[in-house]
Amino acid sequence: MPTSPALPVILLLSGSLRAGSVNEAVLRTAEAVAHEGAAVDAVRYEGLADLPHFNPDDDAEPLPAPVAALREAIAGAAALLVCAPEYAGTLPGSFKNLLDWTVGGTEISDKPVAWVNAAAPGRGGGAEATLRTVLGYTGAAVVDAACVRIPVDRGTVGADGTVADPAVRARLAELLALLAGAARETP
């Protein structure tokens, strides 16, 4: 009996460590939308708090276990979707630390990457600019059409940690489809 081809995996990277984070809720929602019938498998990375502080001296084999797990997750994904808050005009230090650990590897190189800015209008631009700059150093293939602003108010996050708004869910399904399409076009 023929087997169906595996669905492309989109790794969901939250830039927040905060319990109840809207950014995490957006990614939980993307994961739920994918499991509701999108033609992708969305998987949330949950090791942000476990990563050691970046030190170039430690960016060698054997890598610290959390770093090796991060790089393995990225290598196994067809594409990446980021949702990170803005702190003090840029990315949170913990998420910048995650990105620093990817610069020395090649896992992100040429991999389709996009982000969702869930901040209120007029906010989050500094995080987006920093993200674009750092992703440039990693060689990521930024999918501009999938880099969007979907403002999400904390009050719209349900008890299950997801956003029930059909418009938000539909937009996330579109982003996942765009990333899956870009992944299929990547050699």
Side-chain angles (χ1 to χ4, degrees):
M1 177 156 92
T3 59
S4 61
L7 295 175
V9 173
I10 298 180
L11 186 62
L12 307 172
L13 298 171
S14 174
S16 180
L17 292 172
R18 182 179 183 182
S21 160
V22 168
N23 299 279
E24 185 68 27
V26 166
L27 294 179
R28 273 194 207 100
T29 305
E31 184 178 40
V33 165
H35 294 154
E36 291 169 357
V40 299
D41 185 16
V43 176
R44 282 182 300 122
Y45 171 74
E46 297 181 1
L48 180 62
D50 300 326
L51 292 171
H53 294 291
F54 177 72
N55 178 342
D57 292 338
D58 295 334
D59 195 2
E61 295 297 330
L63 290 168
V67 175
L70 167 67
R71 288 187 179 178
E72 183 178 316
I74 292 170
L80 309 176
L81 180 61
V82 174
C83 190
E86 179 177 280
Y87 291 138
T90 190
L91 291 171
S94 56
F95 192 68
K96 175 63 168 66
N97 184 59
L98 178 150
L99 293 173
D100 286 344
W101 278 112
T102 69
V103 173
T106 59
E107 297 82 9
I108 291 183
S109 184
D110 297 323
K111 191 169 296 273
V113 179
W115 57 81
V116 175
N117 181 337
R123 303 197 49 154
E128 286 182 30
T130 302
L131 189 55
R132 185 176 293 281
T133 298
V134 176
L135 288 172
Y137 282 97
T138 67
V142 174
V143 181
D144 288 314
C147 296
V148 300
R149 180 178 296 269
I150 305 175
V152 174
D153 181 86
R154 187 173 311 285
T156 65
V157 178
D160 66 351
T162 67
V163 180
D165 182 331
V168 170
R169 295 173 86 85
R171 189 68 174 123
L172 289 171
E174 291 171 15
L175 297 180
L176 293 172
L178 282 169
L179 277 173
R184 281 190 289 276
E185 294 172 4
T186 301

